[in-house]
Each structure stands twice: as structure tokens, then as C-alpha cells.
Amino acid sequence: AAPPFAPRPLGSVRAGFVQGYPAKGLDAVVGKAFPAALQKLAPHWKAAADVTVDALDIMHAVNDRGGIAPPEAYSIHRGLLDGEGIDPNVRARLDRGASISAADYIANLRDRERGIAQVDAMFDHYDVLVMPTTPIVAPAMAEVSTAEGFTARNVMALRNTSIWNFFDVCAISLPIRLGNELPCGLMLVGRRGADRDLLAIAAA
């Protein structure tokens, strides 16, 4: 068993505040709570700077070609699509994987490897990347009662966390409790395979 870890002092941590696409479209709650959390932490980092994740261009290109998870999910679950009982939102996502070619799927896998290497290199300069866990708070049931409402809010709810799944790194969400009326989170992203280091920073 691995030994217990001690919190790593934030005074030794270099933080990169992710800008651009992941920081856009924050709702009223997150848009107020996330900056307040950054302000509270500001005096404690060893160093902090705004950063852009250029590898997001690779992720967008892969997703524009159909992505990786959709064709894999369709391949695994297509036998279920002839039956009943599949949520229509899930069915629609599975169906989208049916038309993706093998050539595009292979290109997507190769491009993802390039993106993983680019993101990994960022951690030569930063110990953690910092961003909102989700740009929106959990929606009310009425907001997701239609297919259109569900899709729009599902995309936003998954947007920031799915980035780091794509780039094969570890991340943790810390609850922001600064008077915000609904829960939201601050996400710390660490180098792939460095989960214990990330947990030590999060503990601090």
C-alpha cells in the first residue's frame, strides 16, 4: 500500500488559469463563485498565470470528425438499438456513431495521441491547471424536459470535464463554498499518472 501523503504547501505550486473555451459561458452562480475562489487562493500560489490550451484545437478537430467515444459506443451497444427501453437521448448519441468511417476513427486516435503529448508538456511549466468544474450549476428538471433543453445543458455540464478525459490526465473538483446559493466546483488538473501529487495539492 502507498504511504499516506501530506498536503503540499500551495507556496510550492505553479498554477495555470485556463482561458478561452473552458472559461466561457459561465452562468450567474459559477460566474460569481469561481472568480471569488481564485481571489481567495491568489496570495498562496508560488506562481500563477493565465494559460491557453492550444491542444484544444486538436480535440475540436477530432470531435468534428465524429470523435472516439461515439463510434466505440455504437460498436459495443448497437445490438441493443433494435430493442426498447433505451433513453431517447442515449439512443440519439449512439446513432451518431453509426456513420463514422474507420479511416476517421483511426485518424482521431492518432490525433488524440498528439494532443496528449502537447498537454503533458504543459506540466513542465505548471503543477496544476485551474478552471471551473462545470460552467453551469445543475439544471432544474423543467430545463431538461425537452430534447433540445437536455442536449444544450448536457453539453455544458460535460464540457469542461470531458476535456481532460480526452487528454488522459487526472483532475479533481473542489467544492466552492463562498456564499454561492447553489453548489459549483473549482477543478484542478494534474499531469497524467500524477494522481497522488494532485491529491496532495487539493488537500492543501
Side-chain angles (χ1 to χ4, degrees):
F5 58 84
R8 173 178 169 177
L10 291 185
S12 69
V13 176
R14 302 163 299 168
F17 303 136
V18 177
Q19 304 298 302
Y21 163 77
K24 292 180 178 177
L26 306 186
D27 70 13
V29 174
V30 182
K32 181 179 178 182
F34 180 70
L38 292 185
Q39 184 176 10
K40 182 175 181 179
L41 290 169
H44 302 291
W45 305 112
K46 176 181 180 179
D50 293 344
V51 298
T52 56
V53 182
D54 293 336
L56 285 172
D57 291 341
I58 294 174
M59 186 190 78
H60 293 315
V62 166
N63 288 336
D64 287 345
R65 283 197 303 261
I68 294 169
E72 290 182 347
Y74 177 77
S75 175
I76 293 167
H77 299 296
R78 58 185 165 180
L80 300 175
L81 295 176
D82 294 334
E84 300 297 326
I86 298 178
D87 183 286
N89 295 305
V90 175
R91 181 183 292 276
R93 295 182 73 183
L94 289 171
D95 284 339
R96 284 198 293 272
S99 60
I100 298 167
S101 70
D104 280 346
Y105 174 68
I106 292 168
N108 289 345
L109 291 176
R110 290 176 174 170
D111 281 352
R112 178 173 181 255
E113 290 300 319
R114 290 196 300 114
I116 287 172
Q118 285 188 25
V119 167
D120 186 69
M122 295 184 71
F123 293 100
D124 293 339
H125 308 284
Y126 302 99
D127 299 299
V128 289
L129 302 179
V130 184
M131 58 194 288
T133 305
T134 60
I136 62 171
V137 296
M141 292 299 292
E143 295 176 306
V144 295
S145 61
T146 65
E148 295 78 12
F150 175 87
T151 298
R153 284 165 179 80
N154 192 50
V155 166
M156 290 298 282
L158 296 175
R159 186 189 74 186
N160 287 2
T161 54
S162 65
I163 292 170
W164 308 114
N165 294 337
F166 184 89
F167 292 117
D168 197 20
V169 295
C170 54
I172 189 169
S173 179
L174 302 176
I176 299 175
R177 297 185 179 122
L178 296 174
N180 35 300
E181 59 270 34
L182 290 171
C184 59
L186 178 142
M187 183 160 55
L188 302 178
V189 182
R191 184 171 236 146
R192 62 185 306 201
D195 302 56
R196 289 182 62 81
D197 293 337
L198 179 62
L199 288 170
I201 294 170

